[in-house]
């Protein structure tokens, strides 16, 4: 390919200015509106791409940030022979990019002479290889299904085989209902037997997707996969210009979530259920079959070793539960050798057995499959030893926790105390442009906290406010009579919350989102609302999947949705489907969690103030995300209600008040809901029809 024209690179930001300016090239798009904020963001992104510089860009709701980074990113990729990597946190944003944004960009490029050369850009969506079916492994599983599967599992394998005939993507998400994970593990592409050499006939979905990604101008993936690949050392080679691929450029949308996702990816997670599941795939005592029974390899001693390892695993995690987790859900580990290392030694012996099986396997493919499991077992062994000895690493924190359904499982976890040094190494020292963007990165118009958290000290920062008229379309109310949180239980006054939520839901037309920080408070309120509002649709997190909850909420139009954590972000319901957001409690993270404790201790040791430096910034960003669910378009209207009186009684409350985007914020008490709040709802035109005042 020819070298890119340096003059073209130099004037590239001006080209993007011409695209998004008033009556610019983008004006040919249907329903396009000139937005100065979008024009500025596109110009800044073009500068970053052309100069390989990092930027952090807060773009308020309605700026149109995805087009602002996609247009200059795609032009850069096509004209300057590079790849644009776009990482999002939610599937919804990926779908918006693929189904809405990219077709509009292609239309604009195709109908604009100055951009016509970029119209044939190619894109690819990258997902983890375990999401793909490998036809090669499927054929092998079908040939050996009597050795591997019981009757029910055999029927499931046949269902997958039938689906494989007509699927065009081979993605597990297409299968409905989802496949039995035990069967899917035998046929997915996450195996060393699924290689470009062994799957060279063009039928392998993963290998085809991999080839498509390597030649695509834009690659779209989620945060979790990006950081999983980087943590496994699968990014661009050291010294090359690029993060994931050589010569790439990276955009991280929904970047407010990057610190948590990256922290998870660069930490460790080992659960009893995960380890036992893999051990039973080697040999399941109940089914009397597994990996080592193929081709009649296993003797009685071999099978017994796996049985003993499963038993020891169960004993190991039962001991952790008994000694640490009887009365607590999480416990920080601070002393090395907190438990004996007999189980890791047992895993080491099992790994040696598997290597012996691999050396004597009848085929290279079977040997490769066995060595896959050996690598898994060795990985468990090494991670367990690291966690038992606390890794001799003061930059990580280790803890145990109850997990799984009804907290019956046990997990051992670790995470970096600070993610900034890791992100600085993996992202910002790669000599390429890295753009982080979100509607919520700043604290009181200052991004210093986020910059420090992600290690982006060399990045330029920009803030563009939303073009929406919040003063006209949004009212905010802060409760002054909410009882203080109970000191010992840290619980809300559920009677007050339930009572006020009921009155508020009756006072407004459309849907209501109630955001909590604990399931206990959520469930108590849900029970009260179900009993006292029998005609309203009540949707409760945990009783159905998030996607199903969102679908039912959207279809109903006047439902009440109660959620925690993930429901504070990523919900986009235009119009009266969502006309009210109630914040039951300010979203401070649990200060007793081992990771929060350890990070606070580190800040204290360095002479800092953890509450001001960690707790408040994180809570304010989450608060901004939560109330940001309300106004998603210029015509949306509604109210935000905060039922945590600390926002007015504590000095730090000003940070939260400043984060509310409307100046029309008032304080209220419960007995003013039918007057003060009802009048504002009437003014917005959202009063229930039966309550509308006569002219």
């Amino acid at each position: 390919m020819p070298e890119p024209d340096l003059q073209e690179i130099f004037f590239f930001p001006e080209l993007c200015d011409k695209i998004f300016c008033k009556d610019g090239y983008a004006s040919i798009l249907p329903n396009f509106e000139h937005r100065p904020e979008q024009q500025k963001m596109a110009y800044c992104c073009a500068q970053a791409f052309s100069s390989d510089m990092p930027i952090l860009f807060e773009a308020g709701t309605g700026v149109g940030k995805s087009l602002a980074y996609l247009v200059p990113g795609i032009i850069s990729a096509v004209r300057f022979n590079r790849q644009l990597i776009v990482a999002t946190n939610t599937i919804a944003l990926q779908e918006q990019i693929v189904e809405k944004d990219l077709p509009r960009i292609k239309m604009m490029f195709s109908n604009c002479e100055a951009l016509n050369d970029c119209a044939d850009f190619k894109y690819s969506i990258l997902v983890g290889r375990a999401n793909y079916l490998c036809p090669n492994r499927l054929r092998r599983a079908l040939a050996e299904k009597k050795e591997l599967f019981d009757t029910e599992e055999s029927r499931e394998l046949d269902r997958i085989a039938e689906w494989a005939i007509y699927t065009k993507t081979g993605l597990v998400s297409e299968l409905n209902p989802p496949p039995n994970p035990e069967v899917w593990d035998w046929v997915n592409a996450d195996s060393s037997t699924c290689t470009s050499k062994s799957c060279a006939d063009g039928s392998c979905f993963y290998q085809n997707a991999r080839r498509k990604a390597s030649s695509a101008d834009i690659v779209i993936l989620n945060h979790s996969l990006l950081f999983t690949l980087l943590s496994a050392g699968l990014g661009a080679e050291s010294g090359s210009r690029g993060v994931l691929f050589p010569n790439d450029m990276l955009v991280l949308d929904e970047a407010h979530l990057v610190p948590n996702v990256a922290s998870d990816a660069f930490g460790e997670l080992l659960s009893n259920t995960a380890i036992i599941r893999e051990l039973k795939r080697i040999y399941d005592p109940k089914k009397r079959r597994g990996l080592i029974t193929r081709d009649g390899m296993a003797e009685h001693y071999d099978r017994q070793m796996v049985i003993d390892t499963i038993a020891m695993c169960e004993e190991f995690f039962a001991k952790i539960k008994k000694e640490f987790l009887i009365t607590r859900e999480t416990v920080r580990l601070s002393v090395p050798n907190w438990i004996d290392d007999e189980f890791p030694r047992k895993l080491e012996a099992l790994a040696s057995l598997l290597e012996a099986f691999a050396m004597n396997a009848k085929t290279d493919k079977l040997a490769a499959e066995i060595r896959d499991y050996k690598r898994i077992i060795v990985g468990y062994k090494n991670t367990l030893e690291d966690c038992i000895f606390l890794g001799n690493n003061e930059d990580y924190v280790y803890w145990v926790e109850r997990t799984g359904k009804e907290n019956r499982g046990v997990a051992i976890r670790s995470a970096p105390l600070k993610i900034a040094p890791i992100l600085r190494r993996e992202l910002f020292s790669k000599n390429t442009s890295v753009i982080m963007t979100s509607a919520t990165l700043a604290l009181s118009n200052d991004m210093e906290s986020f910059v420090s958290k992600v290690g982006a000290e060399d990045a330029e920062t920009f803030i563009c406010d939303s073009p929406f008229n919040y003063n006209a379309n949004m009212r905010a109310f802060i409760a002054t009579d909410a009882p203080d949180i109970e000191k010992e239980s840290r619980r809300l006054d559920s009677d007050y919350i339930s009572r006020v939520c009921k009155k508020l839901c009756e006072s407004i037309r459309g849907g209501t989102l109630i955001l909590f920080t604990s399931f206990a408070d959520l469930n108590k309120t849900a029970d009260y609302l179900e009993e006292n509002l029998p005609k309203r649709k009540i949707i409760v997190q945990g009783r159905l999947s998030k996607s199903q909850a969102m679908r039912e909420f959207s279809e109903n139009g006047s439902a009440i949705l109660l959620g925690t954590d993930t429901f504070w972000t990523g919900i986009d319901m235009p119009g009266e489907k969502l006309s009210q957001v109630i914040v039951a409690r300010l979203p401070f993270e649990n200060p007793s969690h081992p990771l929060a404790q350890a990070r606070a201790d580190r800040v204290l040791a360095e002479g800092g103030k953890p509450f001001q430096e960690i707790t408040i910034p994180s809570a304010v960003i989450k608060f901004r995300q939560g109330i940001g669910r309300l106004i998603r378009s210029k015509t949306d209207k509604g109210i935000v209600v905060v039922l945590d009186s600390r926002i007015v009684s504590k000095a730090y409350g000003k940070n939260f008040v400043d984060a509310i985007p409307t100046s029309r914020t008032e304080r209220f008490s419960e007995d003013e809901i039918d007057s003060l709040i009802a009048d504002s709802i009437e003014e917005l035109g959202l009063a229930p029809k039966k309550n509308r005042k006569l002219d």
Side-chain angles (χ1 to χ4, degrees):
M1 286 186 175
E3 287 295 317
D5 188 300
L6 294 179
Q7 188 173 10
E8 189 177 19
I9 294 175
F10 182 79
F11 287 108
F12 178 51
E14 281 69 26
L15 171 64
C16 290
D17 215 34
K18 290 180 181 179
I19 295 172
F20 287 97
C21 68
K22 189 173 180 61
D23 300 322
Y25 299 145
S27 62
I28 66 173
L29 291 172
N31 303 316
F32 180 80
E33 296 179 14
H34 170 246
R35 284 170 276 190
E37 300 87 357
Q38 187 180 52
Q39 181 181 347
K40 177 183 178 182
M41 182 175 179
Y43 185 90
C44 293
C45 289
Q47 283 186 317
F49 291 137
S50 60
S51 61
D52 283 323
M53 293 299 293
I55 65 170
L56 307 184
F57 206 112
E58 177 175 292
T61 305
V63 164
K65 65 180 185 298
S66 55
L67 280 183
Y69 62 70
L70 285 170
V71 169
I74 292 170
I75 296 172
S76 295
V78 173
R79 291 188 176 175
F80 308 146
N81 306 325
R82 307 188 67 178
Q83 276 190 303
L84 173 66
I85 312 299
V86 176
T88 76
N89 189 69
T90 60
I91 293 174
L93 181 52
Q94 289 187 17
E95 291 175 344
Q96 175 202 306
I97 290 172
V98 171
E99 297 171 9
K100 179 183 176 183
D101 295 333
L102 295 185
R104 282 169 63 81
I105 293 170
K106 188 175 285 288
M107 179 192 299
M108 177 176 65
F109 288 175
S110 299
N111 291 280
C112 178
E113 186 176 348
L115 304 171
N116 192 257
D117 61 305
C118 300
D120 293 328
F121 67 84
K122 295 177 290 184
Y123 76 88
S124 173
I125 299 176
L126 196 64
V127 299
R129 61 189 297 166
N131 290 280
Y132 290 98
L133 174 72
C134 175
N136 185 26
R137 295 192 75 207
L138 174 61
R139 285 190 290 269
R140 184 172 176 82
L142 286 167
E144 301 179 357
K145 68 179 181 180
K146 288 184 178 179
E147 294 182 62
L148 292 174
F149 307 115
D150 58 26
T151 304
E152 185 178 337
E153 290 171 337
S154 291
R155 284 196 293 266
E156 179 72 334
L157 184 68
D158 291 338
R159 182 173 76 95
I160 294 172
E162 183 179 342
W163 164 74
I165 296 171
Y166 61 82
T167 178
K168 293 182 179 180
T169 68
L171 287 170
V172 66
S173 56
E174 284 186 7
L175 265 171
N176 188 23
N180 179 332
E182 302 298 327
V183 179
W184 182 254
D185 280 345
W186 287 107
V187 299
N188 70 47
D190 193 13
S191 167
S192 60
T193 62
C194 177
T195 65
S196 57
K197 183 178 180 180
S198 61
C199 297
D201 62 358
S203 67
C204 182
F205 299 102
Y206 170 70
Q207 297 300 330
N208 291 342
R210 187 180 172 190
R211 281 189 290 270
K212 184 179 178 182
S214 67
S215 61
D217 299 297
I218 171 172
V219 177
I220 303 163
L221 74 167
N222 65 33
H223 292 169
S224 180
L225 178 57
L226 171 68
F227 290 111
T228 297
L229 292 170
L230 294 179
S231 68
L234 298 177
E237 291 183 8
S238 179
S240 66
R241 179 175 69 163
V243 175
L244 193 59
F245 303 122
N247 206 28
D248 68 15
M249 309 166 291
L250 175 64
V251 175
L252 290 144
D253 204 339
E254 302 177 303
H256 59 282
L257 296 167
V258 162
N260 289 340
V261 178
S263 182
D264 286 343
F266 282 91
E268 299 287 358
L269 169 60
L270 281 178
S271 69
N272 58 331
T273 52
I275 297 176
I276 289 174
R277 183 175 63 246
E278 296 298 338
L279 289 173
K280 286 185 176 180
R281 291 188 64 207
I282 296 170
Y283 178 71
D284 189 328
K286 186 176 180 181
K287 298 175 182 177
R288 297 184 180 180
R289 54 169 62 91
L291 177 72
I292 62 174
T293 62
R294 293 162 79 168
D295 292 337
M297 291 187 298
E299 301 290 343
H300 172 76
Y301 168 82
D302 306 319
R303 295 191 293 271
Q304 190 61 46
M305 174 174 274
V306 182
I307 294 170
D308 292 345
T309 306
I310 292 171
M312 187 173 288
C313 179
E314 292 171 340
E315 292 170 7
F316 178 80
F317 282 97
K319 185 177 182 181
I320 293 174
K321 190 171 186 178
K322 180 180 179 182
E323 295 188 4
F324 296 93
L325 300 171
I326 293 297
T327 59
R328 298 175 63 182
E329 291 188 3
T330 60
V331 174
R332 182 178 173 185
L333 304 171
S334 55
V335 180
N337 300 313
W338 51 274
I339 198 167
D340 65 71
D341 62 347
E342 186 179 358
F343 179 47
R345 292 201 304 271
K346 189 71 173 179
L347 290 175
E348 186 173 24
L350 179 59
S352 298
L353 175 66
L354 291 175
E355 177 60 27
F357 276 128
M359 292 176 66
N360 293 301
K362 293 179 180 179
T363 67
D364 291 341
K365 287 184 178 180
L366 180 55
E369 291 259 14
I370 295 170
R371 287 198 170 98
D372 278 344
Y373 281 91
K374 177 195 170 184
R375 279 189 287 273
I376 291 170
I377 298 302
V378 169
Y380 286 153
K381 175 252 182 190
N382 291 341
T383 301
L384 278 170
E385 288 182 340
D386 179 73
C387 292
I388 290 172
F389 301 117
L390 305 188
N392 295 317
N393 191 341
E394 295 181 353
D395 294 326
Y396 273 72
V397 60
Y398 298 82
W399 71 95
V400 291
E401 65 183 23
R402 283 189 276 167
T403 188
K405 192 174 182 180
E406 298 179 359
N407 278 339
R408 291 178 180 175
V410 175
I412 308 172
R413 299 197 60 177
S414 71
L417 283 171
K418 292 184 177 181
I419 198 63
I422 295 173
L423 296 180
R424 198 178 294 122
R425 180 188 73 230
E426 298 292 338
L427 303 183
F428 298 110
S429 64
K430 296 297 186 175
N431 305 311
T432 190
S433 55
V434 175
I435 297 174
M436 287 189 172
T437 185
S438 169
T440 55
L441 298 179
L443 176 65
S444 300
N445 278 329
D446 186 342
M447 270 203 254
E448 182 182 355
S449 174
F450 188 78
V451 167
S452 175
K453 183 180 285 188
V454 298
E457 292 82 3
D458 294 332
E460 279 196 88
T461 61
F462 302 90
I463 298 176
C464 268
D465 292 334
S466 169
F468 295 159
N469 189 343
Y470 286 100
N471 285 340
N473 295 337
M474 176 180 175
R475 306 289 183 271
F477 299 93
I478 298 170
T480 57
D481 60 342
D484 291 337
I485 292 170
E486 297 175 14
K487 290 184 179 180
E488 290 188 9
S489 67
R490 306 299 299 167
R491 293 275 169 82
L492 299 170
D493 184 324
S494 58
D495 291 340
Y496 171 86
I497 296 294
S498 301
R499 198 169 59 243
V500 170
C501 284
K502 172 183 175 291
K503 291 181 180 179
L504 289 168
C505 291
E506 291 175 316
S507 300
I508 194 166
R509 193 171 69 250
T512 293
L513 171 65
I514 311 176
L515 296 170
F516 294 85
T517 58
S518 84
F519 275 104
D521 297 326
L522 180 153
N523 287 322
K524 286 182 180 178
T525 304
D527 292 343
Y528 180 90
L529 294 178
E530 286 176 328
E531 181 179 347
N532 291 278
L533 294 176
K535 295 183 179 180
R536 292 289 291 274
K537 175 76 171 179
I538 311 295
I539 302 171
V540 184
Q541 180 183 355
R543 299 182 187 176
L544 64 174
S545 69
K546 183 175 181 179
S547 60
Q548 187 179 351
M550 300 307 351
R551 184 167 57 253
E552 292 189 12
F553 186 68
S554 177
E555 291 172 352
N556 182 273
S558 62
I560 302 168
L561 172 61
L562 298 87
T564 70
D565 198 29
T566 58
F567 282 75
W568 287 73
T569 187
I571 294 176
D572 193 346
M573 293 287 166
E576 291 185 14
K577 292 177 181 179
L578 179 56
S579 56
Q580 177 173 231
V581 174
I582 302 172
V583 176
R585 182 175 180 178
L586 296 179
F588 291 113
E589 65 179 0
N590 179 2
S592 64
H593 189 279
L595 185 55
Q597 284 181 335
R599 286 176 172 168
D601 290 346
R602 174 61 63 90
V603 171
L604 279 172
E606 294 173 350
K609 299 178 179 179
F611 189 70
Q612 284 79 7
E613 294 177 29
I614 300 176
T615 309
I616 290 177
S618 295
V620 170
I621 284 180
K622 192 166 186 177
F623 178 77
R624 292 183 66 197
Q625 278 290 319
I627 63 175
R629 301 307 95 207
L630 181 67
I631 305 295
R632 307 302 298 172
S633 74
K634 66 179 182 180
T635 58
D636 285 352
K637 296 180 179 181
I639 68 171
V640 165
V641 184
V642 182
L643 300 181
D644 190 333
S645 296
R646 292 177 297 178
I647 197 172
V648 291
S649 65
K650 301 292 184 181
Y652 59 74
K654 185 178 184 301
N655 293 287
F656 295 92
V657 175
D658 289 345
I660 300 173
T662 178
S663 62
R664 303 188 66 171
T665 301
E666 299 186 65
R667 302 181 182 188
F668 80 100
S669 58
E670 183 180 352
D671 58 9
E672 293 177 297
I673 292 175
D674 294 332
S675 54
L676 177 66
I677 295 181
D679 287 344
S680 291
I681 291 172
E682 181 79 31
E683 183 183 354
L684 290 170
L686 292 172
K689 291 180 180 179
K690 64 178 181 179
N691 292 338
R692 283 188 174 177
K693 296 178 180 178
L694 297 176
D695 292 332

